Each structure stands twice: as structure tokens, then as C-alpha cells.
Amino acid sequence: MADTGRDPRRRFHDDLVGLDPNDPEARAFAEHLDRIERCEPAFTVEASIDGVADFADSSARLGGLRYWAAVLLVALIMLGVIVASWEILVRAAHWLAE
């Protein structure tokens, strides 16, 4: 569950009155509300890492075509990082060889 500084059981007394806190669907909805209401700066390294963790968690819950689209997106990002790293290494080797 997202760390919002709130007691997770409090959500069922404030926003989700009447829902069973032991119901898995109600808990999943409460976690969803916590993720939506999280208000942190998005320009820090920690926020970027949290964003990647949120993406990984949400893509792990997906199935079918959306899951494979997330896998393809991650593979393309990794390919871009590898190509850029290789280019930097080759240019650095040429520069050092001069």
C-alpha cells in the first residue's frame, strides 16, 4: 500500500463507509485511492524510482495485450540505454586513442 502517512483502516471510515475492509476488491480500491492521492514532488530521484516501482507493480497486475505492451516498452527503453552506452564507450575509446 502506498505510504501516504494515513492509517489504511481510516480510509474505510472516511471515504469508503459501508464497505468491508476485509474484501479484497475494497482493499484494492483503497490502495488505488492512496496512489491517486499521493502528492509528492516528481522531480527528485526518489520520486523517479517510486514511479518506476509503480509502473512495475501496475504492469505486473495487468494481463494480455497490456502486459505485453508494457514488456515491449521496457525492452525498447533498455535497448535505447544499451545503444547509447555503446555509443559513448566507442566515442570515448576513439578519443582516448588519439
Side-chain angles (χ1 to χ4, degrees), residues 72-83:
L72 178 65
L73 177 66
V74 170
L76 289 174
I77 290 171
M78 294 302 297
L79 180 65
V81 168
I82 290 169
V83 168

Side-chain angles (χ1 to χ4, degrees), residues 8-65:
R9 293 166 294 182
R10 188 87 181 135
R11 169 73 71 185
F12 287 95
H13 294 293
D14 293 341
D15 298 332
L16 305 176
V17 176
L19 294 180
D20 182 17
N22 297 321
D23 181 22
E25 290 182 7
R27 282 188 303 207
F29 185 64
E31 291 173 5
H32 171 73
L33 289 177
D34 288 340
R35 283 191 302 272
I36 288 175
E37 291 178 356
R38 185 172 45 203
C39 186
E40 300 169 344
F43 50 84
T44 63
V45 173
E46 292 85 5
S48 298
I49 293 172
D50 286 342
V52 171
D54 289 341
F55 176 77
D57 289 341
S58 63
S59 63
R61 288 191 303 266
L62 294 175
L65 183 60

